[in-house]
Amino acid sequence: MKKISLLFCFFLAVGAFAQTSSDSIVSPIVAKKNEIKIDVLNLISNGRVGISYERFLKHDFSVGVTGMFLNKASKEDDFPTDDTRTLIDYQVIPYVRYALSKSAANLYYVEAFSSINGGQYKELTTLNNGAADYVVTTVKDYNDVAIGASIGYKFYIKESFVVDLTLGMGKNLFHADSPETLSRIGINVGYRF
Amino acid sequence: MKKYIQFFAIAILFTLFTGCTESDDEFFASKVVTANGLIAVNLSGNTVAVSTAIPRLLPQTGGNPFDLYLTTTSNQFFFNYTLEKKNANNVWELVAPSGYNVVTSSGSNQFGDYIAAICQLDALETTYEYDTTIAPIATGDYRLTVDNEVVSIDSKNAVTVIIKTTAVGDTTNNVLEFTVN
């Protein structure tokens, strides 16, 4: 029994040492569990403000949420007369990510996401003024939910500042007049803490 | 350094795909209606008369009249037709505007490979009118072909209307062949 206790203590010590050794080579990035980012690509090119929060649950697994909102009045103003059928006003995108790379500082990942999105769409409406029919373009609101997947790459500078590139596609599920597909493309820069 | 080069290469690719971040389904604000026999083509001697009188309140089979002006907010519609002449090899060739005389009493024309016939809404805003006679200068065999669509012009912030129609008068399937002696 004493021998068994000694053997147990030995393996416990070896395990503890191994754990210590492992921790000693782990990047300090891993100890930081939270990350906030802003999407500079959509901000510059599309007038959309996109802010993300990501929480790291394990070394290779994280969850997050992105809020993206249209912040360009000219797009809203032009929409009734331009040649696009839909205009996305907002998206709330919860996601889960799995890191494909071992490195914490420089990694590829895959992502599954959902997008709760809403905006406007156009359709032709026939009206009647008592004498004849005529057709006008009308703008209506929609709300929908999409699911999709993405791939991405991110790297850290000074173990805190992150650059995160995401490329993905989703499909709206419920509303017949919402955009059939949603793309998820972003270049995010942010801070991990 | 290599990492940053890779990053910038990827960033450029992303930028190229920026348009994909926006909804790319297109919306064409256009309405197609059908009204046969709106274009009249009549031959008189060596002269062809092409004319239209499209009612603003276009009758629709089994329904209410369709208000072209209220839908398009446009004072003009157009349709195209071509005038061709058979050459020495029995091949049809387009006739240049210098090859025929034109007299226009309603509407107007724009000349190119096609003759664009512009139908003008009259002062009472009841009819889109066009009336032109064409007289080829040289002798020979000619063919006048009329498109089967009349389309609104410059429907700014409104709906473009495309009227599917046919030519009536001396044409067969929208084509008139005639000889100038």
Side-chain angles (χ1 to χ4, degrees):
Chain A
M1 185 66 189
K2 193 176 178 182
K3 285 182 180 176
I4 293 172
S5 296
L6 282 171
L7 206 59
F8 178 73
C9 287
F10 173 75
F11 280 116
L12 200 66
V14 169
F17 177 75
Q19 188 67 44
T20 307
S21 298
S22 174
D23 284 347
S24 68
I25 60 166
V26 168
S27 167
I29 295 170
V30 175
K32 300 173 180 176
K33 299 295 185 186
N34 304 289
E35 192 170 280
I36 55 169
K37 289 167 282 191
I38 185 165
D39 187 339
V40 293
L41 176 67
N42 276 286
L43 185 66
I44 294 167
S45 64
N46 294 325
R48 293 181 188 278
V49 177
I51 298 171
S52 299
Y53 169 76
E54 189 171 351
R55 171 75 181 176
F56 296 88
L57 303 179
K58 290 183 179 177
H59 173 70
D60 54 3
F61 183 70
S62 64
V63 297
V65 63
T66 297
M68 188 169 288
F69 305 92
L70 182 63
N71 185 40
K72 198 170 185 181
S74 62
K75 278 210 165 183
E76 296 266 11
D77 296 341
D78 293 344
F79 178 66
T81 55
D82 67 18
D83 61 357
T84 55
R85 193 183 67 83
T86 56
L87 180 68
I88 302 168
D89 285 334
Y90 75 89
Q91 289 190 79
V92 178
I93 308 168
Y95 59 82
V96 294
R97 284 180 178 175
Y98 180 76
L100 300 173
S101 311
K102 295 294 180 190
S103 169
N106 179 0
L107 58 101
Y108 292 92
Y109 60 82
V110 290
E111 172 191 277
F113 71 87
S114 175
S115 171
I116 300 136
N117 63 97
Q120 301 166 63
Y121 68 94
K122 283 184 285 200
E123 67 176 12
L124 294 179
T125 305
T126 301
L127 304 175
N128 185 281
N129 62 0
D133 292 342
Y134 61 102
V135 174
V136 295
T137 301
T138 52
V139 175
K140 296 182 178 177
D141 294 331
Y142 81 88
N143 289 286
D144 208 341
V145 176
I147 56 170
S150 308
I151 56 170
Y153 170 74
K154 67 161 73 174
F155 66 88
Y156 291 88
I157 301 166
K158 295 186 185 300
E159 297 172 344
S160 289
F161 297 98
V162 61
V163 179
D164 181 351
L165 289 77
T166 310
L167 176 64
M169 185 72 80
K171 184 173 175 57
N172 267 322
L173 300 176
F174 301 112
H175 199 293
D177 292 304
S178 64
E180 190 174 351
T181 57
L182 295 174
S183 56
R184 177 154 160 74
I185 299 177
I187 299 178
N188 289 272
V189 294
Y191 185 74
R192 183 158 170 171
F193 55 97
Chain B
M1 186 64 187
K2 188 180 173 186
K3 183 174 74 176
Y4 293 111
I5 291 171
Q6 283 179 339
F7 168 71
F8 282 117
I10 294 168
I12 288 167
L13 278 174
F14 270 58
T15 307
L16 290 174
F17 283 101
T18 296
C20 299
T21 60
E22 292 297 276
S23 173
D24 57 359
D25 49 354
E26 290 183 306
F27 180 80
F28 300 105
S30 61
K31 170 76 175 174
V32 179
V33 295
T34 301
N36 288 326
L38 290 182
I39 303 168
V41 179
N42 294 293
L43 178 65
S44 176
N46 293 337
T47 302
V48 182
V50 182
S51 63
T52 60
I54 304 170
R56 170 186 161 176
L57 301 182
L58 193 67
Q60 292 291 277
T61 306
N64 297 317
F66 184 69
D67 194 324
L68 298 174
Y69 181 72
L70 217 50
T71 300
T72 63
T73 67
S74 174
N75 291 320
Q76 295 176 327
F77 276 68
F78 84 98
F79 62 95
N80 292 324
Y81 58 97
T82 56
L83 181 66
E84 296 164 293
K85 185 177 186 293
K86 196 179 282 184
N87 67 16
N89 298 320
N90 282 337
V91 175
W92 292 108
E93 289 182 332
L94 289 168
V95 181
S98 58
Y100 49 84
N101 294 316
V102 174
V103 177
T104 302
S105 54
S106 295
S108 57
N109 294 288
Q110 288 182 5
F111 299 102
D113 286 346
Y114 287 86
I115 301 167
I118 297 165
C119 316
Q120 184 71 40
L121 186 64
D122 64 4
L124 297 174
E125 296 186 343
T126 58
T127 310
Y128 290 90
E129 296 177 335
Y130 171 81
D131 197 346
T132 286
T133 58
I134 293 182
I137 294 170
T139 59
D141 294 329
Y142 287 86
R143 179 170 74 179
L144 189 140
T145 307
V146 181
D147 273 5
N148 62 354
E149 285 185 353
V150 185
V151 182
S152 62
I153 298 175
D154 201 18
S155 300
K156 279 182 184 170
N157 301 344
V159 177
T160 296
V161 170
I162 300 165
I163 308 171
K164 297 283 187 184
T165 190
T166 54
V168 294
D170 296 326
T171 60
T172 303
N173 296 326
N174 286 21
V175 176
L176 168 65
E177 290 190 23
F178 60 102
T179 302
V180 174
N181 299 309

